[in-house]
Amino acid sequence: MAGIYESKLTTRVDFPARARAVASIPSLLRVQGFLSAHARRQHNPGICDFTLGNPHQMPQEAYVAALREQLEPRNESWFAYKTNGAEAQVAAAQSLRRLLEIPFEPEDIHLTTGGFTAIAMAMKAVADPGDEVVYSLPPWFLYEPIITEAGLVPVKVRINPDSFDLDLMAIASAITPRTRVVIVNSPNNPTGRIYPETLLVKLAEMLDLASERNGRRIYLLSDEAYNRIVYDGARFHSPAEYYPYTLLAYSYGKTHLAPGQRVGYLALPPAMPDRDVLREILSALQVAMGWIYPNALLQYALPALETFTIDVGQLQRKRDRLYEELTGMGYRLHRPEGSFYLFVHSPVADDEAFTESLAARNVYVLPGVLFETPGFFRISLTANEEMVERSLPAFAEAIRLAGVG
């Protein structure tokens, strides 16, 4: 699959180098190629779609009601330009206080059109073109395009393949005097790992030492899109609890399984040094990056959206069903602690070939090469329960034909 998704760019010099660099990223080309192929078949009857974190059942009535409640305008400026809505900021800050036991203030919340722009804004706020951003593989597959578009340099390291934890030694070795940002994603997409408190404390200590050695602060960007999607009563810990130079990016699209409704935020912990200056920078970027505030309707609805989530128990039941069945068939995988995903060892080295064998049986998953980690595939738990049950014979047949099950 990877070989057919190649850049169509020529050597013409009349397009900016940065734009050409973004359009030529191999991992992005693979993702775009896969999405294009998937778009042609996703509505075929009878398929089992485990590819993206998209909904496959009707949205919760509470979510619909929260939006419907705000459709009727209260005044003539109801749908006028909106910046950071005060009530939305208060609701988000109070929610973070409850979740992390950190006294976030409403002014710490910078509302954005989803997690994408929160991540991009964070990097542009603290890094200059040419600075380096360190992140771990397998990654969310759009880190590199966002980094490159900002004029920054992606630096990739591998996680611990046995525990799916961050490899702190690898991160330390990757840090140079040009390092400005380290990205942490927990609960992790695609592995489902929640990084333990002990690891985050060691990471904070390492970044402090590296910053002192460089004579320049290294910021930590915590991608917490799934921080409400945790299983078995697990306690989620944010790097912001241990490292004051943390920028926290969040998206409501995961919490409510509504990724097409673009609303999120970037939050600054109260212990962040020079927080007042950074607040001013972020406020300017919200405008300069294209008025990236969420639309008015979503801002009005946000206080209600903070009062509930999707049915995490249902996700956990699907996780348990797939985990037990797949391990029983001979697949190797960790039981995820959070997020929407199972990250499964491919029974054969060529994960693209194996995922195509599943696709031939109307079961669609994402191959590990899309996450720059060959030899795995990702299953999204947002598939509905009927899809889960229909997929089991196909998973069993595919591993049997691979000579493993």
Side-chain angles (χ1 to χ4, degrees):
M1 184 181 296
I4 65 173
Y5 302 140
E6 297 176 352
S7 174
K8 296 181 177 62
L9 296 177
T10 68
T11 56
R12 291 172 59 187
V13 296
D14 53 343
F15 293 107
R18 187 181 301 177
R20 286 187 282 118
V22 172
S24 302
I25 294 171
S27 60
L28 179 58
L29 292 170
R30 292 191 186 101
V31 170
Q32 289 176 314
F34 185 93
L35 294 179
S36 177
H38 182 60
R40 293 191 294 271
R41 61 194 183 191
Q42 64 178 324
H43 299 298
N44 292 347
I47 72 168
C48 302
D49 188 354
F50 295 97
T51 53
L52 305 177
N54 271 328
H56 291 283
Q57 57 195 49
M58 292 301 289
Q60 288 180 296
E61 177 54 33
Y63 187 83
V64 177
L67 300 186
R68 186 187 297 121
E69 175 68 20
Q70 305 303 331
L71 275 172
E72 189 66 32
R74 276 43 160 196
N75 53 57
E76 68 278 6
S77 63
W78 194 247
F79 299 125
Y81 282 110
K82 302 301 174 189
T83 55
N84 290 308
E87 291 185 2
Q89 287 179 299
V90 168
Q94 289 176 343
S95 178
L96 278 179
R97 283 173 177 249
R98 291 190 298 270
L99 180 70
L100 303 179
E101 299 179 357
I102 297 174
F104 285 89
E105 298 178 4
E107 293 78 14
D108 296 324
I109 308 298
H110 295 262
L111 300 168
T112 57
T113 48
F116 283 74
T117 48
I119 291 168
M121 183 169 69
M123 289 190 284
K124 290 180 177 182
V126 299
D128 287 318
D131 284 344
E132 295 173 347
V133 179
V134 177
Y135 64 93
S136 296
L137 307 182
W140 177 52
F141 40 57
L142 294 179
Y143 287 142
E144 185 171 6
I146 293 174
I147 292 167
T148 304
E149 189 279 330
L152 307 174
V153 180
V155 177
K156 308 170 188 181
V157 300
R158 290 282 172 190
I159 61 170
N160 183 314
D162 298 319
S163 65
F164 283 170
D165 274 335
L166 298 173
D167 187 331
L168 296 184
M169 291 185 63
I171 294 173
S173 297
I175 291 175
T176 75
R178 294 172 61 194
T179 302
R180 189 61 162 170
V181 177
V182 173
I183 299 177
V184 171
N185 173 213
S186 176
N188 185 263
N189 172 13
T191 68
R193 179 67 167 148
I194 296 176
Y195 298 134
E197 183 178 18
T198 52
L199 185 147
L200 296 177
V201 169
K202 291 178 181 177
L203 175 63
E205 293 171 348
M206 183 193 75
L207 294 179
D208 269 331
L209 290 173
S211 298
E212 183 177 352
R213 183 174 63 249
N214 286 352
R216 188 180 187 219
R217 176 53 57 181
I218 298 172
Y219 286 86
L220 196 155
L221 172 52
S222 184
D223 179 359
E224 301 185 12
Y226 300 92
N227 66 14
R228 273 77 161 176
I229 313 298
V230 300
Y231 305 128
D232 303 310
R235 165 72 160 89
F236 168 76
H237 287 284
S238 169
E241 298 174 50
Y242 315 104
Y243 192 65
Y245 296 89
T246 296
L247 301 106
L248 190 161
Y250 178 69
S251 169
Y252 291 88
K254 311 303 182 184
T255 306
H256 297 291
L257 192 49
Q261 297 294 327
R262 309 300 299 159
V263 57
Y265 59 74
L266 187 71
L268 304 178
M272 170 77 76
D274 298 320
R275 185 171 46 142
D276 290 342
V277 175
L278 196 48
R279 281 177 178 174
E280 292 181 7
I281 290 171
L282 293 175
S283 294
L285 284 172
Q286 286 174 292
V287 175
M289 289 175 63
W291 202 267
I292 60 171
Y293 305 100
N295 68 40
L297 183 65
L298 287 168
Q299 292 206 42
Y300 297 143
L302 194 145
L305 298 181
E306 278 287 9
T307 65
F308 64 95
T309 70
I310 56 171
D311 188 345
V312 177
Q314 183 187 50
L315 287 172
Q316 181 170 319
R317 290 191 293 274
K318 288 186 284 186
R319 178 206 65 171
D320 291 342
R321 177 69 169 150
L322 282 166
Y323 177 83
E324 297 300 334
E325 290 293 328
L326 293 180
T327 54
M329 296 172 192
Y331 289 93
R332 293 187 297 123
L333 64 153
H334 287 257
R335 189 190 296 268
E337 299 156 309
S339 80
F340 288 164
Y341 310 108
L342 298 171
F343 202 52
V344 186
H345 286 269
S346 173
V348 297
D350 188 344
D351 55 281
E352 290 180 285
F354 185 75
T355 58
E356 283 301 313
S357 74
L358 287 172
R361 295 167 174 81
N362 279 335
V363 174
Y364 297 99
V365 299
L366 292 185
V369 293
L370 297 187
F371 304 90
E372 301 180 68
T373 307
F376 287 82
F377 63 92
R378 193 192 77 174
I379 296 173
S380 174
L381 296 172
T382 62
N384 63 43
E385 290 169 324
E386 183 185 358
M387 290 178 180
V388 170
E389 296 304 319
R390 283 193 285 110
S391 73
L392 297 178
F395 279 116
E397 179 70 4
I399 196 171
R400 185 188 67 80
L401 292 177
V404 178

